[in-house]
Amino acid sequence: MKELLRSIRWGRLLVGAIGTVALSWVLVFVMVFGYAFKLGFEARGSPDQGAIEQFAQGTAPVVGPIAAILITVLAAAWAARKARSPKVNGLALGVVVAALVVVTARPPAIWAVALALLAVAAGGLGGRLAGARPPERV
């Protein structure tokens, strides 16, 4: 067990997990900002704040977690690419992302379980992809 924990690249894991959640938030922000810009352009002035709020409340709970799951695959592949045990590193990153997404998004209980499972699976997939690469020559 100690050897398994030592094989995890903790720095990359934390950067990847926090970066994943932050990037998903940025994506939601850009989408809401783009919608607000579109409304403002159409209105040739100040956009309707109620429409922006309604769009944000409908978009953020869906797009944020989905983006986090998709980005988790890439982050896990990056975090695990030179690790001794890429699959373990990918799964560990998935577990951390799952915890962060569930804590920050606060979805309903059934969604929280689904998001957690998908994040762990996405981390495992990223670790598997990193492990499938041929070893680099030194």
Side-chain angles (χ1 to χ4, degrees), residues 18-28 67 71:
I18 293 169
T20 295
V21 174
L23 193 55
S24 68
W25 286 348
V26 168
L27 181 64
V28 170
I71 297 166

Side-chain angles (χ1 to χ4, degrees), residues 50-74:
I52 295 169
E53 188 174 321
Q54 185 178 8
F55 178 79
Q57 288 177 352
T59 303
V62 175
V63 173
I66 290 172
I69 299 304
L70 295 175
I71 297 166
T72 298
V73 175
L74 300 174

Side-chain angles (χ1 to χ4, degrees), residues 49-110:
Q49 295 299 317
I52 295 169
E53 188 174 321
Q54 185 178 8
F55 178 79
Q57 288 177 352
T59 303
V62 175
V63 173
I66 290 172
I69 299 304
L70 295 175
I71 297 166
T72 298
V73 175
L74 300 174
W78 170 78
R81 70 184 173 117
K82 291 184 181 178
R84 286 183 293 188
S85 179
K87 292 176 187 174
V88 171
N89 277 267
L91 282 171
L93 187 130
V95 168
V96 173
V97 168
L100 290 174
V101 167
V102 169
V103 167
T104 59
R106 294 196 176 108
I110 191 71

Side-chain angles (χ1 to χ4, degrees), residues 6 9 15 17 19 24 35-36 41 48-49 58 61 77 90 95-97 112-113 122 134:
R6 278 192 215 136
R9 301 181 74 187
V15 168
S24 68
Y35 182 71
F41 189 75
D48 179 15
Q49 295 299 317
V95 168
V96 173
V97 168
V113 172

